[in-house]
Every structure is written in structure tokens, then in C-alpha cells.
Amino acid sequence: MGGEIRIVQLGKHLLVELFGCKPEIIDNEKFLEKILVEGLLEAGSKILGKFFYKFQPQGVTGVIAIAESHLTIHTWPEKGYAALDIFTCGSRMDPWKVYKRIIGEIKPNAAKVLELGRGPLTKPKIVEEILVR
Amino acid sequence: MGGEIRIVQLGKHLLVELFGCKPEIIDNEKFLEKILVEGLLEAGSKILGKFFYKFQPQGVTGVIAIAESHLTIHTWPEKGYAALDIFTCGSRMDPWKVYKRIIGEIKPNAAKVLELGRGPLTKPKIVEEILVR
């Protein structure tokens, strides 16, 4: 009927929560950096810059700027918990591919993913809430 | 009646969308880096590392790792749009203080903020949707 307004979504954002992670895995900043970088490259992302930090006595923070936006991770090994954000723009790269690669390596007991569009924001929806094992 | 389970929230995440920004402001990576860093420091944050990138012909991406998690920005000057994420853990630092400082400098025509808890995820809520001017 005409009148339809098509809003072009600039980006897609996955907010990922991982529970029941093994502390030694999510406290290993070198391992986390490796699997995040590999996951991005395999998904066709272009890495612009990155910074990883190991807290004492425990915990890791990592931020990676990519041509398609960003990937971040923050871990609380003492709680078995990690928060991931995968924000991508354009249609060239699939953030779900990165997500699947990362959970395949971290192997949490459970994962929850909230997906929303950015630019403009869309209504958030829980798109995955699973017991991995 | 007893039985209440109190879940301690590890983090707070503001997803911020800025519309109607002046292109010359959100295409200036030095200015954006300066106001983001100042906003973080004024809010009591500890900056661990950062990376900013200027796209050609336009656009800026910036990621800042902080002791309290992260701050990121991605801009589309040709659309007058910027996406900000402010993820903080602990109670020492208020992400809203950083947000208010940044919009006071960028001066968008409109802003929308979605707030949610991380670790575990809480139901997202639009907590600010405003015409700034």
C-alpha cells in the first residue's frame, strides 16, 4: 500500500552472557585473546587494534576495535562468568559466527544471548538461552 | 516471606544512541578521544588502555578498556549518528555521569539510552529518550 518506511539498520549487537565457565579458561588472557582474534578473522572481520588486561588476583578484560565495530570481553573467573559484546555493522560479517566459535572454545555450562539492532535501536530479544552441556 | 533470592548484579550497561550530531564533531577522533577520556576520569574511572581509529572518508571508532569494564564509540558522520556503550562494574563509578558529560559535548539533537544489568542480564529498559535541543 505504499507508505512503508524501511529503516536501514546500521549495526547488530549481541550481548552475550556465559555462565559456568572454568575459571582457568576465563582467567587466561592469552588464550582469550587468541580465540577472540581467531573467531573474528574466521568471520571475515578486519582487526584495527586491541588491548587485553589481566587483573590480579583474577579476571580479564579485552577490547578489540574492528572495521565492523567492536568485540569486548570481561571475565569473573571466581564466579565462572564472562560478558561478551559483539557489535558489527554492515552485512559482510556475521556476529553469530564469532559467538559460536567463542563458546565452542570456552565451553560454558550455559549461555544467554540478547540481540538488538543499533542505529536505530531495535527491541531487544533473547535469541539464545541454552545449556551448552 | 523468606525465599527471596537476591542476585548481585555484576555490571551495568548503557547502550546509547545519538542522533542529529554535527558531522564535524563526530568525525573528529581527537576531540572524541579527549571528551571520552575526560568523562571517564571525572567519573572516577581508571583507564587501562585505548585505541581510536579514523576511517576514510569519514567515521570514528574508539574502544577504551577501563578497570570497571569498557567504553566504546562508533560514529557515522554522514548520518549524524553515534553509538556509545558504557559498561561498568562495581558501584564506584556511575555510567550516567559519563553519558551526561559526553552528550553535553557532542550535543546531539536526540538521544536514546537503553539500560540493562549484566551478570546476569536484566530486562532492558529505555530509560532516556530525549530531544536534547
Side-chain angles (χ1 to χ4, degrees):
Chain A
M1 311 288 275
E4 188 191 336
I5 296 173
R6 188 170 174 273
I7 296 176
V8 176
Q9 204 70 47
L10 291 178
K12 191 183 277 188
H13 192 154
L14 306 187
L15 293 92
V16 181
E17 309 247 293
L18 305 180
F19 302 97
C21 306
K22 285 189 178 163
E24 63 272 25
I25 290 181
I26 58 169
D27 199 30
N28 185 337
E29 82 279 19
K30 293 292 175 203
F31 175 75
L32 294 177
E33 181 171 345
K34 178 177 178 289
I35 63 169
L36 265 57
V37 165
E38 287 176 358
L40 286 168
L41 295 177
E42 286 171 16
S45 175
K46 183 183 175 191
I47 295 174
L48 302 174
K50 59 190 161 66
F51 179 81
F52 278 74
Y53 187 86
K54 171 78 171 74
F55 293 96
Q56 293 304 332
Q58 60 202 349
V60 173
T61 270
V63 296
I64 306 180
I66 56 179
E68 302 80 13
S69 291
H70 74 249
L71 171 56
T72 62
I73 189 167
H74 308 291
T75 75
W76 282 258
E78 72 280 19
K79 296 179 188 297
Y81 169 77
L84 271 171
D85 282 82
I86 313 174
F87 184 159
T88 63
C89 61
S91 55
R92 203 170 59 88
M93 179 195 164
D94 178 8
W96 283 99
K97 198 169 171 182
V98 184
Y99 161 75
K100 287 186 193 307
R101 173 65 148 81
I102 292 170
I103 67 161
E105 297 280 353
I106 293 182
K107 299 183 176 71
N109 279 332
K112 192 169 185 174
V113 185
L114 187 90
E115 178 180 318
L116 40 72
R118 298 292 297 264
L121 268 174
T122 57
K123 192 174 164 60
K125 53 182 176 181
I126 300 288
V127 284
E128 182 154 291
E129 192 162 9
I130 53 167
L131 283 174
V132 178
R133 308 187 270 210
Chain B
M1 312 291 275
E4 186 192 337
I5 297 175
R6 188 169 175 271
I7 296 175
V8 176
Q9 205 69 48
L10 291 178
K12 190 182 279 187
H13 191 153
L14 306 187
L15 292 92
V16 181
E17 310 246 292
L18 305 180
F19 302 97
C21 306
K22 286 190 177 160
E24 64 271 25
I25 290 181
I26 59 170
D27 200 30
N28 184 336
E29 82 279 19
K30 293 293 175 205
F31 175 74
L32 294 177
E33 181 172 344
K34 177 178 178 289
I35 63 170
L36 266 57
V37 165
E38 287 177 359
L40 286 168
L41 295 178
E42 286 172 15
S45 175
K46 183 181 175 192
I47 295 173
L48 301 174
K50 59 188 162 67
F51 179 82
F52 279 74
Y53 187 85
K54 172 78 171 71
F55 294 95
Q56 292 303 332
Q58 60 202 349
V60 173
T61 270
V63 296
I64 306 179
I66 55 179
E68 302 80 13
S69 291
H70 73 250
L71 172 56
T72 63
I73 189 167
H74 308 290
T75 75
W76 283 258
E78 73 279 19
K79 295 181 190 296
Y81 168 78
L84 272 170
D85 282 81
I86 312 172
F87 184 160
T88 62
C89 61
S91 56
R92 202 169 60 90
M93 180 194 162
D94 178 8
W96 283 98
K97 197 170 170 182
V98 184
Y99 161 74
K100 288 187 193 307
R101 173 63 148 81
I102 292 171
I103 67 161
E105 296 280 353
I106 294 182
K107 299 185 177 69
N109 279 332
K112 192 169 184 172
V113 185
L114 187 90
E115 177 180 318
L116 40 71
R118 299 292 296 265
L121 268 173
T122 57
K123 193 174 165 59
K125 53 182 176 179
I126 300 287
V127 284
E128 181 153 292
E129 193 163 9
I130 52 166
L131 283 174
V132 178
R133 305 189 270 210

